[in-house]
């Protein structure tokens, strides 16, 4: 992964000094865009394990209504928590057991096990803390990578701007009038970098953080509910 990352960084530098045909300054410059995107992806590759790199971009499926499942699973955890609590309070113990046995969620099954066994506070904290650690292990690397891309996007935009200015002065010194391509790269690279960092990578990092916080909050409520039901039984 690191070798691929280094290759992408080298490609970014090469793109900056690539001679382009004369062009008018416009809103779109493919070289500037590639410098920003390839640079940020290369940086992620340099600092990531293969599993973490795949998770970084796999999280994007959560933005799609039919592919996103993490937020939906979190909401299901909350629904089952409330239903298990209601059934147990109503004395419908068999229905509560059936709900937990049929559930695909480990938190629901764990709640019932702790309630039935009248688990100690220490055991309860230990088990639900393990669930929290699983959430953090699954998403912290993705969050860190998107936060890094939010910071590095403008930096690679400056790489494009600097190489574009070098090309501009080189072309200017040669006495030719072919300045459009160099100016396009110099002006648009920073724009793309800032837009990518502030408009794409940073909101995605915020989204991942919210997914984590929502899941952790539900896990904490599951632990609290289990403790309350045990106390009621006592």
């Amino acid at each position: 992964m690191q070798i691929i990352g280094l290759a992408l960084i080298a490609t970014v530098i090469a793109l900056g000094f690539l001679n382009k045909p004369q062009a008018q300054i416009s809103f779109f410059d493919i070289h500037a865009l590639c410098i920003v995107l390839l640079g940020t992806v290369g940086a992620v590759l340099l600092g990531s394990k293969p599993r973490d790199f795949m998770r970084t971009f796999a999280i994007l499926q959560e933005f799609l209504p039919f592919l996103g499942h993490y937020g939906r699973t979190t909401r299901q955890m909350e629904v089952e928590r409330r239903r298990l609590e209601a059934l147990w309070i109503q004395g419908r113990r068999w229905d509560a057991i059936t709900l937990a046995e049929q559930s695909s969620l480990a938190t629901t099954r764990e709640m019932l096990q702790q309630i039935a066994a009248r688990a100690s506070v220490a055991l309860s904290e230990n088990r639900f803390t393990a669930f929290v650690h699983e959430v953090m292990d699954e998403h912290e690397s993705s969050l860190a990578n998107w936060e890094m891309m939010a910071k590095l996007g403008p930096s690679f935009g400056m790489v494009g701007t600097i190489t574009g200015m070098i090309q501009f002065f080189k072309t200017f010194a040669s006495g030719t009038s072919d300045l459009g391509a160099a100016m396009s790269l110099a002006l648009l690279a920073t724009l793309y970098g800032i837009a990518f960092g502030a408009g794409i990578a940073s909101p995605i990092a915020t989204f991942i953080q919210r997914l984590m916080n929502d899941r952790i909050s539900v896990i904490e409520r599951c632990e609290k509910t289990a403790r309350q039901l045990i106390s009621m039984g006592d």
Side-chain angles (χ1 to χ4, degrees), residues 137-162:
D137 179 66
E138 184 175 2
H139 291 296
E140 273 195 330
S141 59
S142 300
L143 176 62
N145 282 339
W146 281 107
E147 288 177 340
M148 179 174 65
M149 285 191 281
K151 296 175 182 178
L152 291 181
S155 299
F156 280 103
M158 287 300 299
V159 170
T161 297
I162 292 171

Side-chain angles (χ1 to χ4, degrees), residues 34-183:
C34 287
I35 285 174
V36 172
L37 295 182
L38 292 180
T40 52
V41 172
V44 172
L45 281 167
L46 279 172
S48 299
K49 298 177 181 178
R51 184 189 67 171
D52 295 337
F53 178 78
M54 297 301 295
R55 284 179 173 178
T56 298
F57 294 96
I59 196 67
L60 296 178
Q61 71 180 352
E62 295 300 321
F63 287 91
L64 303 176
F66 300 104
L67 293 179
H69 63 86
Y70 196 83
R72 186 166 60 247
T73 302
T74 299
R75 291 189 292 272
Q76 183 62 30
M77 288 174 61
E78 176 64 12
V79 169
E80 292 191 5
R81 180 195 71 82
R82 293 181 179 181
R83 179 155 179 75
L84 180 63
E85 180 182 24
L87 291 173
W88 200 266
I89 291 175
Q90 294 169 11
R92 298 166 59 184
R93 306 299 169 84
W94 180 253
D95 291 337
I97 293 173
T98 302
L99 171 66
E101 289 178 345
Q102 294 178 350
S103 175
S104 61
L105 302 176
T107 51
T108 303
R109 297 192 298 271
E110 184 63 32
M111 285 179 62
L112 181 65
Q113 290 176 8
Q114 292 193 14
I115 295 168
R118 300 188 181 278
S120 65
V121 175
L123 178 61
S124 179
E125 289 179 351
N126 179 269
R127 291 297 302 139
F128 283 101
T129 298
F131 289 133
V132 172
H133 288 168
E134 289 177 4
V135 174
M136 297 176 66
D137 179 66
E138 184 175 2
H139 291 296
E140 273 195 330
S141 59
S142 300
L143 176 62
N145 282 339
W146 281 107
E147 288 177 340
M148 179 174 65
M149 285 191 281
K151 296 175 182 178
L152 291 181
S155 299
F156 280 103
M158 287 300 299
V159 170
T161 297
I162 292 171
T163 54
M165 291 303 297
I166 292 173
Q167 289 282 71
F168 175 82
F169 288 119
K170 177 182 176 181
T171 304
F172 186 79
S174 66
T176 64
S177 59
D178 188 10
L179 305 177
M183 282 300 296

